[in-house]
Amino acid sequence: MFSSKAALRARLLAARQVSASLSGPGLLAVAREQAEVVAARTIAVYVSMVNEPQTGPLIDWLLASGREVLLPVLYADNDLGWGVAPGAADLVPGRLGLSEPPVDLGADAIASAELVICPALAVDRHGVRLGRGGGSYDRALARVSPGTPTWAVVHDSEILDELPADPHDQPVRAALTPTRLVQLG
């Protein structure tokens, strides 16, 4: 077990720098085969950053297939609001170099999502999700409607046997990777 979440985050981020790969088409191929994606009309997702599995192709496909896509808006206190994705060309620069929708519907808008796909540095087989340490997604996931599927996007090597957890950590139900969907918990 790792001595701290901070040390584990540093190790995982360093590994991503070394093994960055283009994974968008794989992520899309896996996601579009899942019953939860097929059934959902409103999906909360995020615009990936460098070295993360790329969500751009998935977002483009969801929009082209008529889904409502909610994207996060990062607040100054690291909480998240949500806005409807207008299309990649219409996103605006947000805090910390993130791309965001131009209109914020508020923090509670995530409750309308029928599927939530969030970022992670790693997940474990019990559904513990390790993020970047700001608590943004733990707060957002606490607002998700009961029964709504929640998935964390990671590289295959970032599904671990066990991660450290704190009482405020919100679990996810599955890990979406460029090669598969792994049920957790």
Side-chain angles (χ1 to χ4, degrees):
M1 180 62 68
F2 295 90
S3 60
S4 75
K5 286 184 173 183
L8 180 54
R9 282 186 188 99
R11 182 173 87 48
L12 290 163
L13 285 167
R16 278 190 174 175
Q17 296 289 5
V18 172
S19 64
S21 63
L22 297 174
S23 55
L27 200 65
L28 170 59
V30 173
R32 68 191 301 171
E33 297 298 321
Q34 306 306 315
E36 294 93 337
V37 173
V38 173
R41 300 307 309 152
T42 302
I43 298 174
V45 68
Y46 66 99
V47 177
S48 54
M49 297 176 19
V50 175
N51 298 331
E52 292 180 333
Q54 295 299 296
T55 58
L58 174 59
I59 293 168
D60 290 343
W61 177 77
L62 290 169
L63 290 170
S65 64
R67 304 310 199 300
E68 181 175 69
V69 175
L70 299 176
L71 296 176
V73 175
L74 183 61
Y75 297 154
D77 67 356
N78 284 336
D79 203 350
L80 296 175
W82 297 87
V84 176
D90 299 316
L91 296 176
V92 298
R95 290 185 61 241
L96 306 177
L98 300 176
S99 296
E100 300 177 342
V103 177
D104 177 12
L105 302 175
D108 292 330
I110 194 170
S112 69
E114 298 167 84
L115 171 63
V116 176
I117 301 173
C118 64
L121 293 175
V123 295
D124 75 13
R125 304 250 175 224
H126 309 285
V128 174
R129 179 191 151 276
L130 183 71
R132 291 184 180 259
S136 301
Y137 276 90
D138 287 317
R139 285 182 263 176
L141 290 171
R143 296 182 187 108
V144 172
S145 296
T148 301
T150 53
W151 300 351
V153 175
V154 293
H155 294 286
D156 286 291
S157 62
E158 297 166 342
I159 300 173
L160 307 177
D161 289 332
E162 188 174 4
L163 286 170
D166 291 318
H168 67 269
D169 290 341
Q170 296 292 315
V172 293
R173 293 186 183 178
L176 177 63
T177 81
T179 64
R180 60 195 169 133
L181 182 74
V182 178
Q183 298 297 323
L184 306 170

